[in-house]
Structure formats: structure tokens, C-alpha cells
Amino acid sequence: ETGVTQTPRHLVMGMTNKKSLKCEQHLGHNAMYWYKQSAKKPLELMFVYSLEERVENNSVPSRFSPECPNSSHLFLHLHTLQPEDSALYLCASSQDSSLRWGKGGNEQFFGPGTRLTVL
Amino acid sequence: QKEVEQNSGPLSVPEGAIASLNCTYSDRGSQSFFWYRQYSGKSPELIMFIYSNGDKEDGRFTAQLNKASQYVSLLIRDSQPSDSATYLCAVNRGNYGQNFVFGPGTRLSVLP
């Protein structure tokens, strides 16, 4: 496996289900991200794990719960979702370092995404 | 004012022409700037990034950055139908990835 992988690629779930999305990066990066992409809306950053520190977007509902057991794996646990949560969920990773200040970089590489449909 | 703005398009250009995509940002402290291409139903893929004023060329792509005017652009020379996609501008406002902000994207259509 190379790059960033995500499973499952497609998921249909009911509002009372509990499911998890999985992301794995094979790039040796130290930061991982969850994004939500809805139709005709910009990418929305949901969660970040960077340098082993979690940075959370306060607007993310508690029905989304991230987990990052190590620098290569990231999970998004889902429970009691709403139909408006149907979207493409993208995982990304990057190499973040304070040594790169002013030198650009921190570019993020995306996985293929999980297309989630909540019925 | 939105943090990163792009014309949603669609921008239509004939095959072989130069496509010009523009992006403006509001945070003057932004450090680095990225262009991603996203085909319909696929995830974004990085085209190039730029962090110094001026031009940066990579094949048919040229990124231009003007920090004083707070805009960044992407030029695609010799546009091909395969370039038809949505182009996302992203701005890193700080040193770490959590400061990434994406624009809404510009849809480009290259007509054969």
C-alpha cells in the first residue's frame, strides 16, 4: 500500500447505527486530518492530529469522535448520525515541523475518501 | 469576508489555450499556498505549492503569488480536456496543518 488509504470506500448507515471510518498513511507523516466535503461547499476541516496533539474544530457535533492510536492510523467513529451528515469524508496527512517555518510545505495528501450516506 | 475566495466558474477554455485560475485570501499572515485538482467523485490531488512572491513553474503549470495583493493564481498552458476538473486553492495560515483553509474551488472545462 502506498500513500493514504481509507476504508470503507462507501458506507450506508441508518441514523441509529454505529460505524467507524479508518484511515492509514504510508508516507511517514506526523499529522493526520479528517475533512468533510458536502455538495457545493468548501472542504471543512473536522479534526487534526498534529505532533501527537489533537486540535478540534469546535463546530463538529459530538456524534463524530476521532481516534488516533499512532501516527499512521486515524479513525472517525460515527453514532446517531443525521441525514445531513451524508457527504464525502476525506482523510489527509502531512509532515508538520516548526523547522519549516517560512519555507513552505506542510502540503497535505488525501486518501480516496469514504462516501457516506445516512438514511 | 471569506478566508479564501475563488470564482466558482465554470471557466471554459478551448483546448490548447491558457487557463487562468485566481484565488484571494484574507489573512496577511498566511505562509504557504497550494493548488489541488479534484476530478468529479475523486479526492483532491496536489498540483503544486508556492510560498515566495513571484512565479513557480512545473511543466504546464505556473503558480503566481502576490502577497501584497493577497492573491495567488494558477496558469495552465496548453490546456487539455483531461484538465477539466475543479481546482481548489488552499492557504496555510501558519506553521501547522491545522491552519489549512480551502477555497470553494473553480470548475474548469476545457473544450475539445
Side-chain angles (χ1 to χ4, degrees):
Chain A
E1 294 276 17
T2 59
V4 182
T5 59
Q6 290 186 244
T7 55
R9 296 293 305 277
H10 300 272
L11 179 62
V12 179
M13 59 187 289
M15 293 169 62
T16 59
N17 292 158
K18 289 184 179 181
K19 297 286 184 182
S20 295
L21 309 184
K22 179 184 175 182
C23 176
E24 184 173 358
Q25 61 96 359
H26 309 268
L27 300 169
H29 290 163
N30 60 7
M32 297 185 75
Y33 315 82
W34 280 116
Y35 285 88
K36 175 184 178 183
Q37 189 173 39
S38 305
K40 300 186 178 181
K41 292 178 70 175
L43 276 168
E44 301 172 59
L45 181 63
M46 300 177 71
F47 299 105
V48 180
Y49 279 83
S50 179
L51 301 175
E52 299 183 7
E53 181 177 334
R54 173 176 161 181
V55 178
E56 185 169 351
N57 184 326
N58 292 332
S59 65
V60 179
S62 59
R63 55 187 184 268
F64 296 92
S65 174
E67 178 189 0
C68 188
N70 54 61
S71 60
S72 299
H73 294 85
L74 185 65
F75 295 90
L76 187 63
H77 304 300
L78 316 171
H79 65 96
T80 59
L81 294 191
Q82 304 299 310
E84 60 265 29
D85 296 323
S86 298
L88 179 67
Y89 288 84
L90 292 160
C91 174
S93 71
S94 71
Q95 182 62 27
D96 280 357
S97 168
S98 61
L99 295 178
R100 302 186 71 173
W101 178 263
K103 297 183 179 180
N106 305 122
E107 55 270 29
Q108 296 184 13
F109 295 90
F110 286 85
T114 295
R115 175 67 63 184
L116 174 66
T117 302
V118 182
L119 301 176
Chain B
Q1 181 185 8
K2 296 180 181 178
E3 293 194 64
V4 180
E5 299 198 56
Q6 297 180 254
N7 188 323
S8 62
L11 172 66
S12 296
V13 300
E15 184 175 356
I18 295 175
S20 178
L21 304 162
N22 299 314
C23 171
T24 59
Y25 59 95
S26 60
D27 189 337
R28 282 196 172 274
S30 298
Q31 295 293 316
S32 46
F33 309 85
F34 306 81
W35 283 101
Y36 287 83
R37 177 176 61 198
Q38 186 174 25
Y39 292 111
S40 180
K42 302 294 184 181
S43 61
E45 57 178 321
L46 181 69
I47 298 175
M48 60 193 307
F49 69 86
I50 186 169
Y51 54 86
S52 298
N53 277 325
D55 296 359
K56 179 181 179 181
E57 188 174 317
D58 184 1
R60 295 188 296 113
F61 299 96
T62 298
Q64 300 174 317
L65 174 61
N66 185 323
K67 289 187 177 181
S69 300
Q70 295 176 245
Y71 85 78
V72 57
S73 63
L74 180 70
L75 301 178
I76 307 175
R77 291 182 300 281
D78 188 25
S79 296
Q80 301 297 309
S82 58
D83 294 325
S84 298
T86 296
Y87 289 80
L88 305 174
C89 172
V91 174
N92 194 351
R93 297 169 296 171
N95 201 32
Y96 296 107
Q98 59 265 38
N99 294 305
F100 248 67
V101 178
F102 280 85
T106 297
R107 191 153 54 92
L108 173 67
S109 178
V110 180
L111 307 174

